[in-house]
Amino acid sequence: MIEVRGLGVSLGGRPVLREVGVTVAAGSWLAVIGPNGAGKSTLLKAMIGLLPHEGSVLVGGGEVRRMKPRERARLIAYAPQNPVLPADMTVADYAILGRTPYIPYLARESAHDREVTRSVLSRLDLTEFSERPLGHLSGGERQRVVLARALTQQAPVLLLDEPTTALDLGHQQQVLELVDRLRLDDTLTVVTTLHDLSLAGQYADTLLLLSQGHAAASGPPQNVLTKPLLTRHFDAHVQVTPDDYGRPVIHLIRPGE
Amino acid sequence: MRRTWWAVGVAVLVLLGCMTAGLLVGAAGLAPGSVLSALLDRLPFVSLDSGLLPVEQGVLFELRVPRVLLAALVGGLLAIAGAGYQGVFRNPLADPYLLGAAAGAGLTVTLVIVVVGDSGVVPVAAFVGAVGGVFLAYALGSSAGRGGGTATLVLAGVAVTSFLTAIQTFVQQLKVEELQRVYSWILGDVGGGWPQLLMIAPYALVSVMVMLAHGRLLDVLAVGDDEATSLGLRARRVRFFVLLAASLATASAVAVSGLIAFVGIVVPHVVRRLAGWSYRIVLPLSLLGGAAFLVVADLVARTVLAPAELPIGVVTAFVGAPFFVLVLRLTKRVDA
């Protein structure tokens, strides 16, 4: 579904990503991991076409940067790490923004757009919040609302930049479970950046480890979340143990113990 | 949606009320009943004898009617332009003069008054100056800013404003005896009559239509450029069209009324407090609310010290500021 080849991005003359390549099968989940400043968010922004880049990003067989904005938005939905949530806007008004790529330039939302929004809100248990302003939501609710906007886009590809930032343990799990359920129900292809490595290992089919702008490793979680790789690229003392299902779990170990 | 129509309906009634008051009251002391009859007499299929003398008819139809219409048009244009600028810049302090329209018009008008000495071309000069100021700021901001962000554009507007104001001050100092005329132009006046009204009507119509058509897109822009772009919106194009229309509206208003302050920044905020955040409602209500506000301000300006007149710019701030504080207090809310 997604094929990234030889991707390079420079910001302000400084190379941030170099020669990154990765393939994501339709309906699968790719988690992009890496230390701070490795270029994770930049990779997502380049994939949606927000940043000028070298190399190519193919989604559904088409080159992203050659797509018209509306065409691209019907194919890829994107939620940034810190989405702008205008405090006065209601949940329903925010969610329906996801219909933007389906509404002609100077036209207004159709009954169908409103119906899609209603059903997405009900799927995410947000119906009772419909008329509530975004400024009055908790962190977990906000994240669900951002997902709702992405889902009303009805795009087969979902790019989520750190969807669990600022959420407590339980809400992190709930959001990722929700994403996984939606992925399976709608055969969505999901790409997330995740700073929590154990969560990344639990939910993703494939991991891409970025380090200093290049792809240091990629593959199934057990091949990427290894002690040597994590020690080297995160400069961390860790222990990796498999959970009951064989997925790697990362523990931080104090140096010297 | 139903709420929108309700709000627009109420605003139209308020505006009509204000305009009627503006028509009935004036320095000439025409009897309100006669004025009403004379106005109704002009409607098709209505024939009434107002009892007004021809001179009084002249006062009503050549002075008062165009004056009220011009006040309404200028107020509406400034307010909707302010709302448009605030939407484009996502900045509550944005006003129609942000990008150099006021300074540009101030300079060209000063030049015309000081150098040419002919008041007849002042409106044209003001229009050209306002458009030129915005164009300069836009060109400067676009060439200096990367990625089409708005911050550089605002700074360019500040730079252009300072620069043009400096030249204007210098020119003005060269001929201090014209200071009074320049100053009274700056403070604003809506007594230009039918010719000025007709002069700006086409620009006003086009700019208002374009802005009203962009309400939904400004709402999308509220989530920021990156996200709006990811939603398939060409953020730069939307911004360009709205800026173009808002600047045209501002230039039209400035051309016939001088630099009336306060309307463009405050009316959209009052509307937001009363009717919500969406530009689909903020834009039309700003148009109607700004019109009503300036009609009332002009009514105050020409009656309080009658037969003398206060500059309308003084009244907008004097009446507007306390009103704004009142609205802020009555609609208290937690700032995000």
Side-chain angles (χ1 to χ4, degrees):
Chain A
M1 188 70 195
I2 307 178
E3 199 176 343
V4 178
R5 279 191 233 134
L7 184 77
V9 177
S10 294
L11 296 177
R14 190 176 61 92
V16 178
L17 289 177
R18 277 175 311 228
E19 288 293 317
V20 174
V22 70
T23 308
V24 192
S28 74
W29 184 328
L30 169 78
V32 183
I33 58 169
N36 293 339
K40 303 186 291 288
S41 299
T42 306
L43 175 61
L44 255 59
K45 280 192 185 175
M47 287 170 77
I48 180 90
L50 284 177
L51 291 174
H53 55 262
E54 296 159 20
S56 67
V57 179
L58 300 170
V59 174
E63 175 83 57
V64 166
R65 89 180 116 192
R66 285 194 221 292
M67 291 177 191
K68 290 183 180 147
R70 287 154 54 84
E71 181 193 346
R72 187 186 63 213
R74 277 177 249 176
L75 202 55
I76 315 170
Y78 164 74
Q81 189 168 350
N82 297 307
V84 178
L85 297 169
D88 292 336
M89 204 182 273
T90 64
V91 168
D93 286 331
Y94 181 76
I96 208 169
L97 292 182
R99 300 303 295 169
T100 304
Y102 300 92
I103 308 170
Y105 192 71
L106 294 179
R108 50 178 44 237
E109 297 91 346
S110 65
H112 176 66
D113 295 320
R114 280 192 293 276
E115 186 46 47
V116 169
T117 307
R118 254 197 303 276
S119 82
V120 166
L121 288 178
S122 115
R123 246 176 114 186
L124 301 195
D125 296 323
L126 286 167
T127 305
E128 56 173 316
F129 294 93
S130 294
E131 294 309 312
R132 195 175 292 187
L134 298 177
H136 294 185
L137 300 177
S138 72
E141 290 158 2
R142 269 207 292 273
Q143 201 57 56
R144 283 216 315 272
V145 169
V146 172
L147 267 181
R149 192 193 79 187
L151 288 180
T152 55
Q153 258 177 277
Q154 296 188 316
V157 175
L158 213 50
L159 304 186
L160 307 173
D161 197 354
E162 294 289 356
T164 58
T165 335
L167 295 184
D168 64 42
L169 214 57
H171 283 103
Q172 291 188 19
Q173 193 171 42
Q174 285 158 29
V175 164
L176 293 179
E177 283 295 332
L178 178 61
V179 171
D180 204 38
R181 196 185 85 210
L182 298 167
R183 174 178 73 96
L184 294 172
D185 290 353
D186 298 3
T187 337
L188 301 175
T189 307
V190 175
V191 179
T192 57
T193 61
L194 279 175
H195 66 276
D196 187 311
L197 301 178
S198 295
L199 281 179
Q202 277 187 355
Y203 285 94
D205 303 300
T206 315
L207 297 189
L208 169 66
L209 170 59
L210 286 182
S211 180
Q212 296 182 339
H214 69 274
S218 66
Q222 59 272 23
N223 294 2
V224 177
L225 297 176
T226 62
K227 191 170 172 179
L229 278 172
L230 297 181
T231 308
R232 183 160 146 220
H233 294 290
F234 284 85
D235 194 19
H237 298 266
V238 296
Q239 196 175 9
V240 182
T241 54
D243 69 4
D244 296 345
Y245 305 95
R247 296 229 178 201
V249 178
I250 321 296
H251 308 277
L252 284 174
I253 307 296
R254 291 197 63 177
E257 275 184 21
Chain B
M1 195 37 60
R2 178 167 294 169
R3 232 184 103 209
T4 308
W5 289 114
W6 259 104
V8 169
V10 169
V12 167
L13 289 180
V14 169
L15 174 59
L16 288 177
C18 292
M19 288 176 73
T20 309
L23 289 169
L24 293 183
V25 182
L30 309 180
S34 310
V35 171
L36 217 47
S37 323
L39 289 171
L40 292 175
D41 185 44
R42 291 287 171 112
L43 293 178
F45 313 115
V46 180
S47 180
L48 287 170
D49 182 15
S50 64
L52 288 182
L53 302 171
V55 174
E56 293 173 323
Q57 292 258 3
V59 168
L60 181 60
F61 289 105
E62 293 309 317
L63 295 178
R64 222 180 265 176
V65 170
R67 178 161 188 149
V68 166
L69 290 177
L70 196 60
L73 188 59
V74 165
L77 287 175
L78 287 175
I80 196 174
Y85 271 75
Q86 286 164 14
V88 163
F89 291 105
R90 292 194 290 277
N91 184 336
L93 286 179
D95 82 347
Y97 304 146
L98 185 74
L99 288 189
L107 175 59
T108 47
V109 167
T110 307
L111 281 173
V112 162
I113 290 177
V114 169
V115 180
V116 187
D118 176 10
S119 303
V121 290
V122 161
V124 178
F127 186 84
V128 171
V131 171
V134 173
F135 177 78
L136 205 60
Y138 196 84
L140 199 66
S142 310
S143 68
R146 261 183 302 212
T150 53
T152 322
L153 203 50
V154 175
L155 293 176
V158 171
V160 166
T161 298
S162 309
F163 184 71
L164 297 181
T165 308
I167 303 179
Q168 188 252 339
T169 312
F170 174 72
V171 175
Q172 197 177 289
Q173 287 301 317
L174 290 179
K175 245 186 163 181
V176 184
E177 61 273 22
E178 298 288 7
L179 199 64
Q180 167 86 43
R181 282 176 69 197
V182 173
Y183 195 59
S184 71
W185 177 81
I186 287 176
L187 282 176
D189 169 39
V190 288
W194 290 110
Q196 299 206 353
L197 192 62
L198 295 176
M199 182 182 97
I200 64 164
Y203 304 102
L205 188 68
V206 170
S207 59
V208 165
M209 296 311 282
V210 170
M211 274 189 280
L212 290 179
H214 279 78
R216 180 182 68 83
L217 300 165
L218 281 177
D219 286 349
V220 181
L221 217 51
V223 296
D225 272 22
D226 275 3
E227 289 178 68
T229 306
S230 83
L231 289 169
L233 193 74
R234 293 179 197 266
R236 291 181 83 156
R237 184 164 78 175
V238 171
R239 199 153 50 221
F240 178 77
F241 280 133
V242 176
L243 276 184
L244 192 69
S247 302
L248 190 62
T250 308
S252 311
V254 167
V256 296
S257 70
L259 304 179
I260 296 174
F262 212 71
V263 182
I265 186 160
V266 161
V267 171
H269 284 302
V270 171
V271 166
R272 249 181 231 115
R273 289 273 171 166
L274 299 176
W277 59 275
S278 170
Y279 279 95
R280 289 189 238 196
I281 183 96
V282 170
L283 289 171
L285 285 193
S286 293
L287 179 74
L288 296 166
F293 177 66
L294 210 61
V295 168
V296 172
D298 182 53
L299 178 62
V300 173
R302 60 193 161 85
T303 50
V304 167
L305 295 181
E309 282 185 20
L310 281 171
I312 190 166
V314 172
V315 178
T316 53
F318 191 77
V319 177
F323 176 63
F324 186 43
V325 172
L326 188 73
V327 172
L328 287 182
R329 282 192 62 90
L330 290 178
T331 58
K332 253 185 208 166
R333 66 171 76 179
V334 184
D335 275 315

